[in-house]
Amino acid sequence: MKKPFQRSWLLCCFASSALLLNGCAMEPYGTETQAPIEDINQPASSPAHSHTMHSNTQANDTGAPAATDDAQPQPIKNPAAANLLNEAAQARAQGDYARAQTLAERAQALAPQEARAYLELSRIYSQRGDSTHARQMATRGLSVVRDDPATERDLQQMRMQ
């Protein structure tokens, strides 16, 4: 093979493999499942209340679910994004904001519907003193958050700062 053709062929192979790997890292479109929604107007003795409640709710005196302030965030579905966000949080805690931002942006690119990526970016921008970008990231996170009251609450707090 001649040099120019060989170089073009190698670049084409590299680009194809990068696209394939990126596709493997993303969740297929339309595979999100939502948790069933309870009807809080039904009496406690009805079958709808016979299943266990979500970990972010607790029963009050009437048997109806009540939100708790200490609700834990939902686990991140994409393990690669979860690892990147953990590393970003550690880097932020150590004051390495450039590394933290790079890691959080990579996580956001891997899982664009993951609200916790936007929350981490919002925290990074806030600690850097960039409140405008911090609020923008919190607003973007609020637009994608689903079934995660703890993350939604944190995003709302970041948006108000």
Side-chain angles (χ1 to χ4, degrees):
M1 276 192 252
K2 296 189 177 202
K3 286 272 186 190
F5 177 74
Q6 185 178 10
R7 181 177 287 159
S8 298
W9 187 80
L10 286 173
L11 286 172
C12 183
C13 288
F14 178 73
S16 298
S17 62
L19 285 173
L20 286 173
L21 285 175
N22 189 31
C24 293
M26 296 176 63
E27 221 175 291
Y29 179 76
T31 59
E32 285 189 28
T33 58
Q34 293 186 351
I37 300 173
E38 294 181 12
D39 185 1
I40 62 172
N41 296 324
Q42 290 180 334
S45 61
S46 73
H49 287 282
S50 63
H51 65 279
T52 59
M53 287 186 242
H54 301 291
S55 63
N56 60 353
T57 61
Q58 67 182 22
N60 60 15
D61 293 338
T62 63
T68 61
D69 288 337
D70 59 345
Q72 295 296 316
Q74 296 294 323
I76 298 173
K77 294 177 185 176
N78 185 324
N83 288 336
L84 287 168
L85 288 175
N86 286 336
E87 289 180 38
Q90 290 172 357
R92 179 176 48 85
Q94 295 169 357
D96 189 354
Y97 300 121
R99 177 167 158 56
Q101 183 176 346
T102 299
L103 292 166
E105 286 172 347
R106 285 177 53 198
Q108 187 271 328
L110 281 174
Q113 296 300 312
E114 179 54 59
R116 297 233 318 265
Y118 296 102
L119 177 60
E120 185 60 34
L121 282 166
S122 181
R123 288 174 174 159
I124 292 164
Y125 283 123
S126 178
Q127 288 186 358
R128 288 181 118 172
D130 189 349
S131 60
T132 301
H133 279 106
R135 283 192 297 273
Q136 287 175 347
M137 287 297 117
T139 301
R140 286 178 67 188
L142 285 168
S143 72
V144 298
V145 69
R146 301 281 183 271
D147 299 324
D148 193 348
T151 301
E152 185 174 2
R153 181 193 64 233
D154 292 345
L155 285 164
Q156 287 172 347
Q157 289 174 350
M158 293 302 297
R159 190 174 64 174
M160 297 302 158
Q161 290 183 356

